Amino acid sequence: MLKLILTDFWLQHQASLVVFLAVIIAIAIVNVFALRRFKLGRYQFPKILPKVSVMVPTRNEEKNIGQCIESLLAQDYPDFEVIALDDQSTDRTWEILQKFRTVPRLILMQGKKLPDRWFGKHWACHQMTEAASGEIFLFTDADTKHKPDSISSAVAALIAENADLLTALPREETGSFGEAMLIPVMPFAILGFLSIPFAHAVKWPIFSATVGQFMMFKRKAFEAIGGYPAIKTKQVDDMAFGQRIKKLGYRWRFFDGQSSVVCRMYGGFKESFLGLGKTVFSAFGRRIIPFLFVWTFLFTVFLEPFAVIAVRLSGGPITDLSLLIALSGILASMLLWTITILKFRFPFWTVFLYPATFALTLIMAYYSVIITLSGKATWKGRRL
């Protein structure tokens, strides 16, 4: 009798994981169609053209900053300024920026000493906002490259949607095997776990995802929510802003920005692992119990079916029905991953390596806990 009860419980457990996968596949499909509407470049150019201040914080970005600034200065928008702040770089970043010093639209700044209880990027961005003169603020990263219409497309969408914060996910480039194994996890999480139409419809802060590579604010809304001083102790500034803007009753919108902005976040596996790993635990507000629950559950959903097959192949007590459910879970996971890979144009071979991707992501997540709680998290030579 006990054996029968345990068997029924096990089969129900397996079936519940497949049902969960079916739900997030449905969310992903809805999001694919939603992002056809919420896509930069499909809105009519507005008649009123407010001035835009584009702000680029830089620290040790000699590989990227030249291309980023060139792409921003080549915008077709008639009224904008670009502010680039060098945050005490130890490489050639400031030297490269100096090559653009005669361009009228460009304001170059050297960052002041980092105060206590501030994160470096937050402090850099805050200094730029104090020098900005635009009615619209656009924060973007030094590793982005912008098509000539990126500002005009975003302003058109911001005005048409009456948004206070518009964020867009760029086309995330991967230049190595290691990057292709890890970088897709971020858009995968957004596509499968956040219903964009629902998130647009409700004001609950938990239903938001903001991408720091492209955040466009109405200045009045940015100042009303307190700007960077209000989130200076929150390591993940984009998530903090998305949640804060919704919490205080302002309008948040998420867009597909692949046709307007390109970004290569990291160079190689090690940099990707360390770069993503530094923020995973902080994205949970450094709350250990929710963190452990979510990652244990994801481990179970995406990797348990392979354990079931391994036990069956080794002669273990796995029934035919249990094996069939496990195979269904693997096929569902592959379908979900395929939707992500096709939508965001990652290498298709990564579909077949998704178990390795999730195993690496799990390791990265626990690495994030260790370095955060031990105070050893660093980035670009600075302790976080």
Side-chain angles (χ1 to χ4, degrees):
M1 183 68 178
L2 178 61
K3 183 178 180 181
L4 181 61
I5 293 173
L6 291 175
T7 299
D8 287 343
F9 173 79
W10 173 251
L11 292 175
Q12 290 173 11
H13 161 74
Q14 283 189 281
S16 68
L17 299 184
V18 176
V19 171
F20 173 78
L21 284 167
V23 170
I24 60 177
I25 287 171
I27 292 173
I29 292 172
V30 169
N31 282 341
V32 167
F33 285 98
L35 288 175
R36 290 184 179 181
R37 176 194 168 191
F38 296 106
K39 179 180 179 180
L40 296 186
R42 67 173 299 273
Y43 288 83
Q44 187 175 356
F45 202 68
K47 295 180 180 179
I48 301 175
L49 302 173
K51 184 175 182 178
V52 177
S53 294
V54 185
M55 286 166 270
V56 188
T58 65
R59 179 174 169 83
N60 296 341
E61 292 284 359
E62 63 181 9
K63 293 181 180 179
N64 301 311
I65 192 59
Q67 289 183 330
C68 176
I69 297 299
E70 286 177 356
S71 71
L72 288 170
L73 293 175
Q75 294 296 300
D76 61 12
Y77 194 78
D79 191 8
F80 71 97
E81 63 183 5
V82 178
I83 306 174
L85 182 142
D86 177 46
D87 184 17
Q88 302 181 350
S89 296
T90 57
D91 64 3
R92 296 178 56 250
T93 297
W94 181 249
E95 178 184 336
I96 294 169
L97 285 172
Q98 286 293 297
K99 296 178 181 179
F100 301 95
R101 64 182 180 273
T102 59
V103 179
R105 289 188 186 274
L106 181 63
I107 300 171
L108 298 180
M109 301 176 63
Q110 287 186 299
K112 300 176 183 177
K113 183 180 178 181
L114 182 64
D116 292 337
R117 296 187 60 79
W118 276 83
F119 285 100
K121 179 186 175 183
H122 303 20
W123 174 239
C125 290
H126 175 61
Q127 292 173 79
M128 288 187 289
T129 61
E130 292 186 319
S133 60
E135 298 173 54
I136 292 176
F137 287 172
L138 171 61
F139 297 96
T140 191
D141 287 349
D143 52 15
T144 58
K145 290 181 290 186
H146 297 249
K147 302 291 179 62
D149 68 342
S150 70
I151 294 179
S152 57
S153 296
V155 171
L158 183 84
I159 292 174
E161 291 292 328
N162 192 28
D164 296 295
L165 166 57
L166 179 151
T167 188
L169 182 64
R171 164 86 169 89
E172 302 289 359
E173 290 185 330
T174 56
S176 68
F177 177 85
E179 291 167 74
M181 290 291 288
L182 289 176
I183 298 301
V185 170
M186 182 179 72
F188 169 86
I190 294 172
L191 196 68
F193 294 90
L194 178 73
S195 170
I196 293 170
F198 181 77
H200 284 177
V202 301
K203 294 186 180 297
W204 301 331
I206 193 172
F207 292 103
S208 66
T210 304
V211 183
Q213 297 158 353
F214 197 98
M215 299 188 296
M216 178 173 278
F217 292 86
K218 288 179 181 175
R219 180 172 188 155
K220 289 182 179 179
F222 179 82
E223 292 175 344
I225 66 170
Y228 271 94
I231 61 146
K232 66 180 182 179
T233 60
K234 306 288 186 181
Q235 183 176 337
V236 189
D237 62 329
D238 46 13
M239 285 190 62
F241 272 133
Q243 292 173 0
R244 187 167 178 80
I245 206 132
K246 294 191 78 173
K247 180 180 180 181
L248 297 180
Y250 291 92
R251 193 173 174 89
W252 165 93
R253 286 292 180 268
F254 185 94
F255 273 74
D256 181 352
Q258 293 184 89
S259 62
S260 298
V261 188
V262 176
C263 178
R264 184 178 178 187
M265 296 175 67
Y266 305 110
F269 173 79
K270 181 179 179 181
E271 194 173 307
S272 301
F273 185 93
L274 297 176
L276 293 172
K278 73 182 188 299
T279 60
V280 174
F281 185 45
S282 294
F284 283 78
R286 304 186 183 188
R287 292 172 294 176
I288 192 70
I289 293 177
F291 178 90
L292 291 175
F293 173 80
V294 168
W295 285 104
T296 301
F297 181 71
L298 292 179
F299 173 83
T300 304
V301 170
F302 293 108
L303 298 180
E304 182 188 275
F306 292 95
V308 171
I309 293 173
V311 171
R312 173 64 180 258
L313 291 176
S314 65
I318 299 297
T319 65
D320 290 343
L321 180 56
S322 179
L323 180 64
L324 179 62
I325 296 174
L327 291 172
S328 299
I330 291 172
L331 290 174
S333 297
M334 289 186 68
L335 175 58
L336 180 60
W337 199 247
T338 298
I339 294 170
T340 302
I341 295 307
L342 293 178
K343 173 60 182 174
F344 297 107
R345 293 180 280 173
F346 291 110
F348 190 75
W349 53 262
T350 56
V351 170
F352 304 100
L353 295 180
Y354 86 85
T357 291
F358 278 104
L360 287 170
T361 303
L362 185 70
I363 295 170
M364 181 179 67
Y366 284 97
Y367 163 81
S368 179
V369 174
I370 294 169
I371 62 170
T372 301
L373 294 182
S374 65
K376 295 180 179 179
T378 61
W379 188 243
K380 296 187 177 180
R382 177 183 280 159
R383 180 165 294 192
L384 297 177

